[in-house]
Amino acid sequence: MGVAYRMSGRVADAEDVVQDAWLRWSQTDRGHVRDPRAYLVRITTHLALDRLRQARTRRESYVGPWLPEPLVTDFGPTVPDTAEQAVLAESVSLAVLVVLESLSPLERAVFVLREAFGLPFSEIAATLDRGEAAVRQLGARARKHVEERRPRFDVDPVQQRDLTERFLAAASEGDLDGLMELLAPDVRLVGDSGGRAKAPLRVIESADKVGRFLGGVAREGMAEGMRFHFVEFNGGPGLLVSHQGKPDSAFQLDVLDGKIQCVYIVRNPDKLQSLHEAMDQTP
């Protein structure tokens, strides 16, 4: 699931890939498989590559900005090492996944397998049926591309949760001055609705414009039956808004030096289906 989601950016596609991988595994003569993990990674990667190539064609006609589908994460129980948690959290962050969208499918595969899972280039080369030298070149190119475009942000969950709570309080109360104190001067707001909900069709940039947009939303008031849930998704604290028992919006913030650098809002209903269970588990 980790490989498939980082490759596709969609929970539904990742789950389909894992299901297809399992079907192939169940039909395989296990006696000829020397390394089950490597075999499964190889199948999953190839299936995810096929999905990714198909998805890139569909996204050319996507309405408005595109964001990955929020993925509920909780590394604490399975990854006790805090440094490793930070690496895993960054590898599924919305900011990084957005940058990965600009890589070619093969570059993305090499980057995910190398940077997120630490596989040696020899194993990645075997997985992708490519020469090791070519894979090393793909990896170097992908890493350089990501480093040049990856936004800087802190991965301190305590600070992120604190700013998320203050952001919610200021935005819901229409406190423009309070909002402006939280926003970095060059803050960006990215909304993904796919044309199926109300959201900006372009990225909004600068504290003044983002503040005025959020202030306008606050002035419209809360709809009856709207509730707020704090949920961890994509490696950090996020805010899930539900309306009449259904997920309505997912918010997450990029934070650096105590200021909000980017506000992500996912409102496409197709991308919120996997958050139903998380919504039910929060007060």
Side-chain angles (χ1 to χ4, degrees), residues 133-185:
V135 166
R136 286 183 179 274
Q137 287 184 336
L138 285 168
R141 193 159 62 234
R143 182 164 189 161
K144 182 175 184 293
H145 181 94
V146 172
E147 290 298 331
E148 289 175 347
R149 291 163 177 78
R150 173 168 31 198
R152 292 177 58 232
F153 58 91
D154 295 324
V155 291
D156 180 352
V158 175
Q159 183 186 54
Q160 194 174 355
R161 171 67 183 252
D162 175 65
L163 276 173
T164 301
E165 291 177 346
R166 292 163 61 192
F167 170 83
L168 171 61
S172 60
E173 294 169 8
D175 180 4
L176 185 57
D177 290 337
L179 272 174
M180 296 301 289
E181 289 180 4
L182 303 176
L183 302 176

